[in-house]
Amino acid sequence: MFHGNRILPLVAVAGLALGGAARAEPTVEVLHWWTSGGEAKAVGELKNSFEAAGGTWIDSPIAGGGGDAAMTALRARVVAGNPPTAVQLKGPGIQEWAEQGALNDVQDVATAEDWDAVLPPALAAIMKYNGNYVAAPVNIHRVDWIWANPEVLAKAGIEAMPTTWDEFNAAADKLMAAGITPLAHGGQPWQDATIFEDVVLGVGGADFFRKALVELDNDALTSDTMVAAFDQLRKMRGYVDPNFSGRDWNLATGMVMRGEAAFQIMGDWAKGEFLAAGKVPGKDFICAPTPGQGFVLNSDSFTFFKVKGDDNIKGQKLLASLIMSPEFQKTFNLAKGSIPARTDVALDAFDDCAKLSHADLLKAIEADTLVPSMAHEMAVSRSVRGEFLDLVTEFFNSDMSSQDAVQQLADAVKRAM
Ligand code: BGC
């Protein structure tokens, strides 16, 4: 049932008996939130590889961009003593669950396949607890992207993608004057926080981002720079259409596709959506980093929960091995819009947005301007992130002043720390 060289190390570590009569079959129940067109296509690749390797895949999708609904469902499952075998989970959340003793490790697979040699050390550290891998990364998503419909830009006489927030505002004003919605946005807390953190990077730079959104430094949170970031966010509130409230992110991407809006500020899962709809990068849609220097990192990973039974344990090991295989990292990321987490996968088959992401990632590592996403759960605990999301959303949907916003944000963060 198991073919190919890729599976041999796994067979060795898992001690699977080929052709054994009553042996357990690898089984996984996978909890994830990949339900949009591009996301479903990408997770379908994982399911297909798992089944082709002889495993049984039980799909547990929980709709809701950014994964907040999925995390609520996960908590309920663990509390009920019935955790899923594998969960799309990332960043500090991995450590939080590991500290509660809720995770199995897959270190034997990682050792046999030498994951340490092929993962960026910063990413490997996030996947480990007490030195052992408890999660496997599938990709590197970049959060600080602007997507645009070039035909719409041309209609309004905009010749280039904005490289500063002033240029962004000037382009948006032109679009408004031409009767075109400048910014396709979905008013959900995680989407508000996504554009907010991109603005913080652009306005304050990577060091400021780290101080404010990762180290939660009170001076940074209450600084004039943070006030300026909220001022820019206030401007952007004026650039969305009247129906933005509650809209899913992929519907906002659809508005750019159809020319109903010019720009979307969203991570490169939006590219997965354009691609799934048959759109061609560089022609039907274009990409550019949001104004500023740096790279906002978001990496999806699967975390292995404490489950019993040989079939489930074999399922976890098989899934871990497949996720980290170079072939899977290529196929999956071509569909997902991201780039491989492994550093040794050639990018020849990838488009120019992916190649730019990779080049900028290396530059950001070199210049120390790589920052973890707050909005996408790479930077701070869930409770602190919750405070950011609440406040940013309240600001976006009210006439709160930027001064009040920074003060309330700093107070809320202090309470949650
Ligand atoms: C995840 C992506 C996902 C996006 C929208 C992000 O937090 O990292 O994989 O596509 O949310 O659901």
Side-chain angles (χ1 to χ4, degrees):
M1 188 166 292
F2 295 97
H3 337 260
N5 294 337
R6 274 291 312 146
I7 219 72
L8 286 178
L10 173 77
V11 171
V13 296
L16 302 176
L18 290 177
R23 67 194 175 84
E25 296 289 347
T27 301
V28 281
E29 185 207 343
V30 183
L31 189 144
H32 62 88
W33 67 88
W34 286 332
T35 55
S36 78
E39 292 175 334
K41 200 161 170 234
V43 75
E45 298 288 355
L46 186 54
K47 177 175 184 278
N48 292 345
S49 315
F50 192 78
E51 288 174 346
T56 302
W57 172 285
I58 302 161
D59 206 37
S60 288
I62 309 278
D68 291 296
M71 292 302 101
T72 305
L74 170 63
R75 195 156 293 279
R77 291 281 304 266
V78 177
V79 168
N82 176 31
T85 343
V87 178
Q88 182 194 350
L89 176 70
K90 51 194 172 170
I94 299 173
Q95 306 299 318
E96 287 175 27
W97 282 112
E99 273 156 25
Q100 293 180 34
L103 304 185
N104 274 344
D105 74 66
V106 288
Q107 186 55 41
D108 47 1
V109 183
T111 304
E113 300 179 354
D114 204 3
W115 291 5
D116 279 345
V118 295
L119 287 177
L123 205 52
I126 296 172
M127 305 298 136
K128 291 183 188 177
Y129 181 68
N130 282 343
N132 290 329
Y133 281 91
V134 292
V138 288
N139 63 7
I140 292 179
H141 266 309
R142 182 180 197 175
V143 180
D144 49 322
W145 281 118
I146 303 192
W147 308 92
N149 182 319
E151 242 178 63
V152 171
L153 295 189
K155 246 190 243 164
I158 298 161
E159 275 153 24
M161 288 291 259
T163 58
T164 64
W165 288 107
D166 283 346
E167 279 178 27
F168 176 84
N169 297 338
D173 289 339
K174 268 193 186 173
L175 288 155
M176 296 277 280
I180 301 165
T181 299
L183 188 59
H185 180 63
Q188 296 174 346
W190 72 273
Q191 294 186 63
D192 299 338
T194 297
I195 60 175
F196 168 73
E197 72 178 356
D198 290 345
V199 168
V200 168
L201 177 69
V203 169
D207 285 344
F208 177 77
F209 183 111
R210 234 174 260 142
K211 271 211 157 45
L213 302 192
V214 184
E215 293 159 20
L216 310 174
D217 177 86
N218 191 63
D219 290 344
L221 285 170
T222 53
S223 63
D224 291 348
T225 308
M226 196 52 112
V227 171
F230 275 102
D231 285 347
Q232 174 59 30
L233 197 62
R234 173 62 69 226
K235 273 196 161 299
M236 289 154 89
R237 171 67 182 81
Y239 297 144
V240 305
D241 71 311
N243 300 321
F244 78 100
S245 196
R247 175 187 288 138
D248 286 333
W249 66 272
N250 51 320
L251 302 184
T253 311
M255 290 169 68
V256 177
M257 281 184 211
R258 291 188 302 274
E260 292 163 19
F263 297 117
Q264 183 183 20
I265 294 178
M266 188 47 66
D268 37 23
W269 45 95
K271 194 183 74 189
E273 216 52 29
F274 283 111
L275 297 177
K279 302 292 176 195
V280 179
K283 179 175 160 274
D284 301 321
F285 69 96
I286 50 179
C287 64
T290 49
Q293 298 300 316
F295 188 110
V296 183
L297 175 75
N298 172 25
S299 170
D300 288 307
S301 45
F302 281 93
T303 304
F304 304 100
F305 274 71
K306 209 158 243 167
V307 285
K308 297 202 182 70
D310 280 357
D311 48 352
N312 290 321
I313 303 295
K314 282 181 179 167
Q316 289 184 328
K317 290 177 198 286
L318 175 57
L319 189 67
S321 181
L322 284 173
I323 284 176
M324 280 295 291
S325 74
E327 309 85 79
F328 169 74
Q329 294 247 330
K330 180 176 160 195
T331 346
F332 175 85
N333 286 299
L334 280 171
K336 188 71 175 67
S338 36
I339 56 175
R342 283 184 76 115
T343 52
D344 59 348
V345 177
L347 292 180
D348 307 345
F350 285 74
D351 58 50
D352 288 348
C353 302
K355 286 181 182 143
L356 179 63
S357 178
H358 183 248
D360 283 357
L361 175 68
L362 297 182
K363 264 196 235 159
I365 292 172
E366 183 70 35
D368 199 19
T369 56
L370 179 67
V371 293
S373 168
M374 174 278 292
H376 295 276
E377 312 213 37
M378 299 294 294
V380 289
S381 67
R382 280 193 70 73
S383 52
V384 170
R385 171 182 174 270
E387 298 297 346
F388 273 106
L389 266 59
D390 285 354
L391 189 283
V392 169
T393 288
E394 196 188 334
F395 175 83
F396 205 75
N397 292 288
S398 68
D399 57 3
M400 187 189 290
S401 73
S402 300
Q403 264 83 10
D404 285 351
V406 298
Q407 201 46 60
Q408 288 189 31
L409 178 62
D411 291 348
V413 164
K414 225 181 273 164
R415 279 197 303 274
M417 274 166 80

